[in-house]
Amino acid sequence: MTPRLRLQPEALGSGLTSQRVRDRLVERLREGGIGDERVLSAIRTVPRHLFVDEALATRAYEDTALPIGHGQTISQPWVVARMTEALLDALPPVAPGAAPKVLEVGTGSGYQAAILAALGVEVYTVERIGELLRVARKRFRSLGLNVRSKHDDGHLGWAEHAPFDGIIVTAAAAALAAPLTAQLREGGVLIAPVGGANAQSLLRLRKHDEARIEQETLAPVMFVPMLAGTID
Ligand code: SAH
C-alpha cells in the first residue's frame, strides 16, 4: 500500500505516540485476528494520536475507544481494523484506475475516514455534530487527505454522490435507514452495527439487486447510538 497522506516530522510523535508504539498496536491487532496487510499498514501509518485531544494522546495506541467530546468516542482500533477489513474484502470490482467510492456515516474524530483515505478509497463522510466535523476537517487538511465531508443527518446518506461501492456506518441503530441501502450500488457492501444500547452486532450486507440483500453477522460490538437531526 502506498500511504496517501502527508506527514510532517512532528506528526510522527515521540515516546508514547511514536512509530514504535504504533507498530506495537499493529502487532496486537494481528494477534487479535486482523490479517489484512493493507489495513495493518494503514493503521501503522495514520497517527491516531492526532485524532484525539492532546490530553489523551499518550493513550491513543491502547486498543480502546476514547472520548472525543459531545458524548462521542473514537472507535477502538480493533473495531476500525475489523470493519475496514470486512469492507475491503467485499468491495465489488471498480473500473481500472478508479478508486472505490465509500460513504461513512458518523465522521466523529475522522480516524476511520483517514484510514480509508490512506488506503486509496474515495471517502464521503457525514457527521451530525458540526463542531466534531470542523475539527475532523482540520485533521484531514493537515494530513493532506482528500476526504469529502458533510454536516447532515446520516440517516439520509448522501444522495448527490450515490451510488456507493461501500457504506460504513459507525453509530448503532435498531434498523438500517432505507436511504442507505438505496444508495448502495448493485453488488455493493454495507458494514454497520445494528442493535440497541446493550447488544449490537456488526453486520455485513451485500446488495445483489434491489430485491435481494444478503446479510451476515461478523462480531458483537458496542457503538454510540445513531441519533436523528443535526446540531452545531
Ligand atoms: N468513525 C468515528 C466514530 C465516531 S462515533 C471515528 O473514527 O472517530 C460515531 C459518530 O457518529 C459520532 O460522532 C456521532 O455524532 C455520529 N452520528 C450519530 N448519529 C449520526 C447521524 N444520524 N448522522 C451522522 N452522524 C451521526
Side-chain angles (χ1 to χ4, degrees):
M1 184 199 79
T2 322
R4 327 221 163 182
L5 71 177
R6 189 181 59 219
L7 292 177
Q8 306 297 341
E10 63 273 17
L12 292 172
S14 61
L16 284 172
T17 61
S18 66
Q19 191 56 52
R20 195 169 47 83
V21 180
R22 265 187 299 288
D23 291 347
R24 218 181 291 144
L25 170 63
V26 166
E27 287 321 307
R28 218 173 312 138
L29 295 177
R30 205 190 286 282
E31 286 160 20
I34 306 299
D36 191 315
E37 291 301 329
R38 296 167 296 177
V39 175
L40 292 170
S41 167
I43 289 183
R44 188 179 292 114
T45 309
V46 177
R48 187 170 183 260
H49 67 275
L50 302 180
F51 291 81
V52 296
D53 219 63
E54 245 176 275
L56 288 172
T58 56
R59 298 195 54 203
Y61 300 104
E62 295 174 17
D63 189 15
T64 175
L66 291 169
I68 55 172
H70 304 268
Q72 306 304 317
T73 56
I74 179 172
S75 308
Q76 180 192 352
W78 186 86
V79 171
V80 172
R82 186 70 194 96
M83 290 179 85
T84 308
E85 186 173 70
L87 176 79
L88 287 189
D89 257 8
L91 278 175
V94 296
K101 269 173 78 172
V102 172
L103 172 70
E104 178 197 31
V105 175
T107 315
S109 69
Y111 181 69
Q112 171 75 73
I115 291 286
L116 290 170
L119 285 159
V121 168
E122 193 173 307
V123 185
Y124 297 81
T125 183
V126 181
E127 169 60 54
R128 66 181 288 275
I129 302 179
E131 179 56 27
L132 287 179
L133 189 58
R134 279 191 288 280
V135 178
R137 278 174 175 157
K138 280 193 201 144
R139 293 174 176 139
F140 300 145
R141 221 172 303 128
S142 75
L143 291 169
L145 288 169
N146 185 18
V147 173
R148 292 126 176 117
S149 61
K150 180 177 166 165
H151 181 211
D152 203 356
D153 182 342
H155 284 100
L156 306 170
W158 195 342
E160 297 92 303
H161 294 291
F164 298 98
D165 299 299
I167 298 180
I168 189 163
V169 183
T170 67
L176 280 169
L180 296 181
T181 46
Q183 290 173 24
L184 204 55
R185 72 169 247 211
E186 287 194 357
V189 64
L190 185 153
I191 314 281
V194 172
N198 300 316
Q200 301 162 12
S201 299
L202 188 61
L203 301 185
R204 176 161 63 184
L205 274 69
R206 163 87 62 199
K207 177 173 171 179
H208 293 284
D209 55 45
E210 296 300 333
R212 193 158 74 93
I213 294 178
E214 194 184 0
Q215 176 178 318
E216 73 188 292
T217 302
L218 300 177
V221 284
M222 192 46 72
F223 277 84
V224 294
M226 177 122 165
L227 301 172
T230 60
I231 59 172
D232 289 347

